[in-house]
């Protein structure tokens, strides 16, 4: 893809995201979501591979259906209440339809089937955009309507997402699919707390986006897409491989790394809201995700794969520095000690 076209699509993505997160009217929010969808499609299908075209088609159909549901929800609410303001979503049916639409846009269970396939068919840089920037507008809409949402429905979706995200990621060998199921699992943690403490959801999303960006950029630098190639990636950039190990453990939520902070705060808030059983259940289900994170971390430490590989081993030839990855890795691993300051800012 030529640089001018690439610039137009990236600018459109930022424009659509900005329109959605800054709008008070449902039609403007819907417009931003549509701009986002149309801007990401060429980035998904730019390789012209059949799998990329299939991923773009699946993404378009799912997002178009979800956007139609968002518009239908807002029209139903306006019909009964006369309000087009996003924060005035008071009709129960509209709230139910909107929750389903946002769950479809985010990839929450049971609307998750499209996300692993789309991420698998996309390049790593586009996968990074799909996992981070494209999640921000729907989460913002949930944030603005959090006082009107159904707690039972969201808690059910959240627990199912955490369970299925961990369960289905266990037998994967493609790293992009593992990261897709990781995203579904993390979205479950965000969805369960958004009614009780919306700011905690945003904090969780920011830290998740930072850690995911670190992993995607590292994988893109060392050109790794499968577990078998990850086992021999240490020959390219050994320092990046070591940092990838720490970032994966942080994404798993192990203390004393940064990823432990949102899980700790969410469990604490759920306990304050007399939801100790839900907090216990979602904590136990996150152990499923921990297993495949540990498997990824184990693969980064292996110097020789346990089976014969069909690719050539590459010795380190790239002497360039990776300042962005270094900064993101440091933040992904070492933010826990300054968490009181982060909470004060949020």
């Amino acid at each position: 893809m030529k640089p001018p076209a690439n610039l137009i699509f990236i600018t459109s993505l930022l424009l659509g995201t900005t329109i959605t997160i800054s709008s008070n009217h449902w039609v403007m929010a819907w417009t931003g979501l549509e701009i986002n969808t149309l801007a990401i499609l060429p980035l998904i299908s730019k390789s012209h591979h059949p799998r990329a075209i299939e991923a773009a088609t699946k993404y378009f159909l799912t997002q178009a259906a979800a956007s139609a549901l968002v518009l239908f929800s807002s029209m139903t609410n306006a019909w009964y209440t006369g309000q087009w303001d996003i924060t005035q979503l008071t009709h129960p049916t509209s709230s139910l339809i909107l929750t389903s639409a946002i769950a479809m846009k985010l990839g929450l269970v049971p609307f998750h089937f499209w996300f692993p396939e789309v991420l698998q068919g996309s390049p790593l840089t586009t996968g990074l955009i799909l996992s981070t920037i494209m999640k921000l507008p729907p989460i913002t809409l949930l944030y603005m309507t959090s006082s009107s949402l159904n707690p039972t429905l969201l808690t059910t979706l959240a627990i199912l997402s955490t369970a299925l995200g961990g369960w289905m990621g266990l037998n994967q060998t493609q790293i992009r699919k593992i990261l897709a199921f990781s995203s579904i699992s993390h979205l479950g943690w965000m969805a369960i707390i958004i009614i009780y403490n919306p700011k905690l959801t945003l904090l969780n999303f920011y830290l998740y986006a930072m850690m995911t960006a670190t992993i995607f950029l590292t994988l893109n630098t060392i050109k790794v897409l499968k577990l078998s190639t990850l086992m021999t990636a240490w020959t390219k950039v050994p320092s990046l491989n070591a940092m990838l190990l720490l970032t994966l453990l942080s994404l798993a939520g192990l203390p004393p790394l940064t990823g432990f902070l949102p899980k700790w705060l969410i469990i604490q808030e759920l306990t304050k809201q007399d939801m100790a059983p839900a907090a216990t259940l979602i904590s136990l289900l996150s152990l499923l995700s921990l297993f495949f994170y540990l498997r990824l971390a184990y693969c980064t430490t292996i110097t020789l794969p346990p089976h014969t590989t069909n690719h050539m081993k590459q010795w380190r030839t790239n002497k360039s520095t990776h300042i962005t990855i270094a900064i993101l890795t440091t933040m992904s691993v070492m933010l826990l000690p300054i968490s009181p300051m982060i909470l004060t800012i949020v």
Side-chain angles (χ1 to χ4, degrees):
M1 186 180 293
K2 293 183 179 179
N6 212 11
L7 178 64
I8 290 172
F9 295 134
I10 296 294
T11 308
S12 301
L13 273 177
L14 297 176
L15 176 65
T17 302
T18 307
I19 289 174
T20 301
I21 65 178
S22 61
S23 59
N24 290 319
H25 198 282
W26 274 113
V27 174
M28 285 302 293
W30 172 80
T31 305
L33 292 173
E34 287 300 299
I35 292 173
N36 260 1
T37 302
L38 294 175
I40 195 69
L41 289 175
L43 297 178
I44 296 174
S45 58
K46 65 182 178 183
S47 67
H48 304 295
H49 191 276
R51 185 180 286 275
I53 304 300
E54 179 189 348
T57 307
K58 286 179 179 176
Y59 185 79
F60 173 73
L61 293 175
T62 310
Q63 297 298 312
S67 295
L69 282 177
V70 168
L71 204 55
F72 180 61
S73 165
S74 58
M75 289 172 65
T76 307
N77 189 66
W79 178 272
Y80 282 103
T81 65
Q83 290 286 342
W84 281 97
D85 196 316
I86 292 178
T87 57
Q88 302 298 319
L89 188 77
T90 53
H91 194 264
T93 307
S94 301
S95 175
L96 190 67
I97 296 171
L98 179 78
T99 306
S100 303
I102 298 299
M104 192 181 296
K105 277 199 164 292
L106 288 173
L108 283 170
V109 175
F111 308 105
H112 67 286
F113 297 102
W114 63 272
F115 188 54
E117 299 297 327
V118 170
L119 208 63
Q120 178 61 28
S122 308
L124 281 171
T125 47
T126 309
L128 170 59
I129 295 172
L130 285 170
S131 301
T132 54
I133 298 174
M134 299 300 289
K135 304 285 187 192
L136 183 57
I139 286 178
T140 306
L141 291 179
L142 276 185
Y143 179 86
M144 288 191 281
T145 58
S146 58
S147 58
S148 311
L149 300 177
N150 186 338
T152 308
L153 176 62
L154 267 179
T155 304
T156 306
L157 291 179
I159 291 174
L160 286 175
S161 297
T162 311
L164 218 68
W167 191 262
M168 295 185 71
L170 291 178
N171 63 341
Q172 301 296 330
T173 57
Q174 297 287 338
I175 295 180
R176 283 173 292 184
K177 278 198 174 182
I178 291 176
L179 291 173
F181 289 118
S182 159
S183 176
I184 293 170
S185 180
H186 276 85
L187 285 170
W189 283 86
M190 296 177 210
I192 200 169
I193 201 64
I194 191 152
I195 293 178
Y196 308 105
N197 194 338
K199 287 187 176 180
L200 202 49
T201 298
L202 288 184
L203 173 67
N204 193 352
F205 175 75
Y206 295 148
L207 293 178
Y208 162 75
M210 181 178 64
M211 291 183 285
T212 304
T214 307
I215 291 175
F216 270 101
L217 291 174
T218 305
L219 293 174
N220 191 46
T221 302
I222 60 180
K223 299 293 183 289
V224 166
L225 295 175
K226 295 184 294 185
L227 287 181
S228 59
T229 51
L230 182 61
M231 293 173 185
T232 54
W234 66 274
T235 58
K236 299 176 186 176
V237 191
S239 56
L240 276 186
N241 222 40
M243 292 297 103
L244 180 61
L245 165 66
L246 288 174
T247 311
L248 286 167
L249 295 179
S250 181
L251 195 61
L254 289 181
L257 304 173
T258 304
F260 176 63
L261 175 63
K263 287 184 168 58
W264 175 23
L265 294 175
I266 288 172
I267 291 171
Q268 185 181 17
E269 184 66 30
L270 287 175
T271 309
K272 286 180 184 176
Q273 300 291 339
D274 294 327
M275 292 181 65
T280 306
L281 184 58
I282 201 169
S283 303
L284 290 174
L285 290 172
S286 68
L287 293 176
L288 292 169
S289 305
L290 176 62
F291 179 82
F292 63 72
Y293 287 127
L294 287 176
R295 188 174 63 162
L296 275 172
Y298 173 67
C299 288
T300 63
T301 61
I302 291 179
T303 54
L304 289 175
H307 56 82
T308 306
T309 56
N310 296 321
H311 61 274
M312 295 178 64
K313 295 180 176 62
Q314 296 182 17
W315 194 243
R316 60 195 83 162
T317 54
N318 190 0
K319 298 286 185 181
S320 62
T321 55
H322 309 280
I323 300 299
T324 307
I325 298 177
I327 295 171
L328 285 173
T329 303
T330 306
M331 294 173 68
S332 299
V333 171
M334 301 180 66
L335 281 188
L336 191 61
I338 61 167
S339 54
M341 188 171 69
I342 297 174
L343 294 176
T344 306
I345 295 172
V346 173

